[in-house]
Structure formats: structure tokens, C-alpha cells
Amino acid sequence: MRDVAIVGVGCTEFGEMWDSSFRSLFIEAGVQALSDADIKGKHIDEIYIGNMSAGRFIAQEHVAALISDYSGMSELHVPATRVEAACASGGLALRQGYMAVASGISDTVVVGGVEKMTDVVSNQSIEILAAASDREWEAFYGATFPGLYAMIANRHIHEYGTKREQIAQVAVKNHYNATMNPKAQFQRAISIEKVLNATKVADPLTLFDSSPITDGAAALVLVPAEKAHQYTDTPVYIKGSGQASDTISLHDRRDICTIEATVEAAKTAYKMAGIQPSDVDVAEVHDCFTIAEILATEDLGFCEKGEGGKLIEEGKTELDGDIPINPSGGLKACGHPVGATGIKQAVEITTQLLGEAGDRQVDCETGLCHNVGGSGGTATVHILSREA
């Protein structure tokens, strides 16, 4: 198996992109990544595209062929594959691209993710996203993701004494980080009081505990590590890749306060990279709701189970903390175009490792990306490093 490097990155602005179409968003991110790597389309062997639900958001299926066509790749007959794993579609596209290069099947792979979510009204988007839960046993009975994660939050509060203010602090931190990210959907700071006093979406979670509906795209160029310096003087290496599944429905879990797919995917990635959680300098984790970031810090091994609230309260996950979490602003403030999120996380960690993150830059040599589908039915974890 070959080592794999990232040699180009691209990312659109995230937000309500009324003047951009689904296809133009992906092409914008892809062109940025190819330009960053100084690679021409004729050199691309494969394309993997993370996308959850274009068929319902914009009534467009056959997404891979669409992207290949409008990227100018159809004349070259470059194979393109759509990858779907709900909100983990991007992370899984990255894993598929990684495996294609690592196996030797392909030398140059573009992996990307895209979602255009704002072309439907809010009630429709909530119903579309609910399709990532168990339709028969959850969504059919009215369970939404705010409701599912609210149950997790309430159980975490009951089981571990987690404070409501600690959960709210996740949103405060991530909004602050996003003020320094020009691609972020929300570039304004908020207070704990604003989070707590916002409109309730599912008790105890409020509007400001929830990630937004977002349009956006992101892309990466992957090549074999031994060829990376043909494209850039500063490649970033994928040292570990893990994926795991769990029950799609929350009620079938052994413990709803633990996303075991995250635990298992992280074990695989750590073992492959030959590191421990304490070796990670910065992480982008899946904070679709504020409680989800607290779970992630625990399940990824950055603290003991039940200590995630204390970790955020003590400032250890801030930009100058022991383990900076979501310097981009995370899903909460940077935005959450579900198919693109996992790729954006890798773009952010790559940018951090290259020292190009501007005012939100942290001191790092090893970074982690963590992407979750639904309430934890799928999880991917990738370890990135400046060192080959």
C-alpha cells in the first residue's frame, strides 16, 4: 500500500449562495484545488464526490456524471463516483479517494463534496435531512435530528453532570473562531447568554446550538506521497484513515452518549498513523449540534467520557488551548453543506498544517478530521501530518 499526500485544496464561501448553482459551486472548489496543485484536468485519474441529497434539494440525480461533464472531464472519460453517507458523505469520499491512490489503482484523484441546501424552504430541508435517520422507526414518528441530539444532551447532563453553559460554550468558541475565517457562513461572535436565550429547537438545545442550512463545496487533490514534490514543496500526508458503522437508529445504541462508530474509526486511524490521541495538535470535529462536539472530544480520546464539558469550560479546546477544536468555526459557524463538510474539514487541517490559516492559525504538526453521518450510523476519521 502506498502513502498518500494532499497537494491541492479548494473551498468556496459557505452560506446562502443564491447566485451560485450546485454545479458551479463544485467547479469553483475543484478549480481552486487543481490550481493549487498546478495540475491539469488531463492528469486526473478519478473523481469522488461527496453528496447527500441533490435529488431532493435540487431534484438532480446522476451527480457524478453532471460534475464530470461540467468540469470538462467527460471528453476525457474520467471516471466520477458519487459517495453518500448522509453528513459523512465528504469524509467517506476522502476515504475512497485515499484508498484509490494507496492501492495503486489511481495516481491523481480529486475528492470533493458539495451541497446546495437553500433552494428549498426550512421545513423541507428538515424533512430531507431526517432521511439520514431511520425513516421507519425515527423520522416516521416525528423524530428530527434536533430532537435526537437533544435526547443525547439531556442524557449527558443527567449521566455526567454536564452543565448547560458548558454545552453553550461550544457555540461561543466556534463563532469566535469563525470571525477569523473569510469562508465562514457566520463571522460574528456570540455570548453564552445569546445561546441560552435563543429560540428553543428541542429542549435543551436552542437555535444557536444548531448548525445552519448551508450551500458550499470543497475539494482536494490526492497523489502518491513519492510523487508529491512534483506538485508542491509543502505536501500534507494522510497518515491514517478510519471508517466505522453503528446502528442507524439512536434507540438501538448501547449508550446514546457514545458514538461508537467514532470510537472505532478513531482506533483504526490512530493505529495506522502510529499515534495516540495526545499526539494530535488540532482537530476539526463534527459539531452538527453543540453536544456533538462534546461527544467527539470524548470519543476521540481527547478526554475521558463525561469530561467533555469540563474540557471546553477550561478553555482547552480554544485556539491557544491544549487541543484546539474546530478552528474553522466548525459546522456550527463555518456552515454545514452536508456533502461538503468532511472535505472542508480536511481543507482546514491542511491549511493549518501549512501555517496558512491567518489569525486563526495554531501551532501544529499533526491534525485530525472527524465526520459523522446522521446520529452516528457512520463515522470517518483521518489523520494528517506535515511529516511523510
Side-chain angles (χ1 to χ4, degrees):
M1 189 173 75
R2 302 187 297 184
D3 292 335
V4 179
I6 297 169
V7 296
V9 301
C11 188
T12 68
E13 292 183 7
F14 280 13
E16 298 180 2
M17 311 302 289
W18 301 111
D19 296 328
S20 298
S21 67
F22 176 90
R23 63 192 74 184
S24 68
L25 285 168
F26 187 91
I27 291 167
E28 179 184 345
V31 168
Q32 286 181 24
L34 291 177
S35 177
D36 190 33
D38 195 22
I39 286 177
K40 305 298 184 184
K42 64 182 180 181
H43 298 134
I44 299 172
D45 296 322
E46 285 191 80
I47 304 171
Y48 287 92
I49 303 152
N51 174 257
M52 175 185 163
S53 200
R56 300 190 68 190
F57 281 121
I58 62 167
Q60 175 67 61
E61 298 290 3
H62 212 178
V63 165
L66 177 83
I67 295 300
S68 177
D69 187 8
Y70 280 84
S71 299
M73 297 294 104
S74 58
E75 293 181 1
L76 300 172
H77 308 294
V78 175
T81 304
R82 173 186 178 179
V83 180
E84 188 279 316
C87 307
S89 298
L92 193 52
L94 173 55
R95 180 166 164 81
Q96 294 298 308
Y98 166 81
M99 291 191 295
V101 175
S103 69
I105 290 177
S106 298
D107 278 345
T108 305
V109 173
V110 173
V111 296
V114 59
E115 210 78 55
K116 188 77 167 68
M117 303 174 70
T118 63
D119 287 1
V120 299
V121 298
S122 295
N123 286 345
Q124 285 179 286
S125 64
I126 291 171
E127 196 272 335
I128 292 168
L129 291 170
S133 66
D134 187 321
R135 172 63 72 181
E136 184 172 351
W137 292 106
E138 290 179 325
F140 181 80
Y141 291 99
T144 62
F145 279 110
L148 294 171
Y149 277 93
M151 285 191 280
I152 294 171
N154 279 316
R155 186 63 191 177
H156 207 278
I157 290 169
H158 171 78
E159 189 79 14
Y160 301 108
T162 304
K163 301 174 185 175
R164 181 64 185 88
E165 291 79 8
Q166 292 172 334
I167 299 173
Q169 183 63 37
V170 171
V172 174
K173 171 184 65 69
N174 290 348
H175 271 260
Y176 172 74
N177 293 350
T179 65
M180 295 170 277
N181 183 357
K183 300 290 181 74
Q185 184 167 359
F186 298 127
Q187 299 176 37
R188 59 179 182 270
I190 59 175
S191 65
I192 288 180
E193 291 71 27
K194 191 172 186 68
V195 178
L196 297 178
N197 295 327
T199 302
K200 283 277 178 67
V201 294
D203 189 39
L205 304 179
T206 71
L207 185 66
F208 281 98
D209 288 291
S210 314
S211 58
I213 302 299
T214 311
D215 304 328
L220 304 163
V221 178
L222 309 183
V223 301
E226 65 265 23
K227 297 183 179 181
H229 284 284
Q230 296 177 17
Y231 306 101
T232 179
D233 293 331
T234 54
V236 167
Y237 301 94
I238 302 176
K239 305 298 290 184
S241 176
Q243 176 190 347
S245 302
D246 199 357
T247 65
I248 191 171
S249 56
L250 194 62
H251 63 263
D252 282 333
R253 306 273 170 83
R254 176 186 61 82
D255 172 13
I256 68 170
C257 291
T258 299
I259 296 183
E260 293 190 5
T262 294
V263 175
E264 295 303 318
K267 285 180 182 178
T268 299
Y270 288 144
K271 182 178 180 180
M272 185 181 294
I275 67 169
Q276 301 294 325
S278 58
D279 296 316
V280 175
D281 300 315
V282 61
E284 283 280 313
V285 309
H286 198 91
D287 62 319
C288 51
F289 297 91
T290 46
I291 186 61
E293 179 173 312
I294 288 177
L295 295 190
T297 58
E298 298 169 353
D299 296 338
L300 291 167
F302 300 143
C303 64
E304 296 296 323
K305 177 55 64 177
E307 295 294 315
K310 183 179 179 182
L311 197 73
I312 180 77
E313 183 178 26
E314 293 177 348
K316 293 182 178 179
T317 60
E318 296 179 4
L319 293 179
D320 60 353
D322 295 344
I323 174 65
I325 301 290
N326 288 331
S328 72
L331 286 62
K332 176 63 199 74
C334 184
H336 185 26
V338 289
T341 288
I343 303 296
K344 183 274 295 183
Q345 292 176 328
V347 169
E348 175 67 19
I349 294 300
T350 298
T351 303
Q352 288 285 344
L353 292 172
L354 295 177
E356 298 174 353
D359 291 340
R360 67 184 190 280
Q361 181 65 50
V362 304
D363 184 17
C364 57
E365 293 185 359
T366 300
L368 178 148
C369 313
H370 163 249
N371 199 195
V372 172
S375 63
T378 303
T380 64
V381 174
H382 289 89
I383 309 294
L384 308 185
S385 175
R386 292 189 302 192
E387 300 297 323

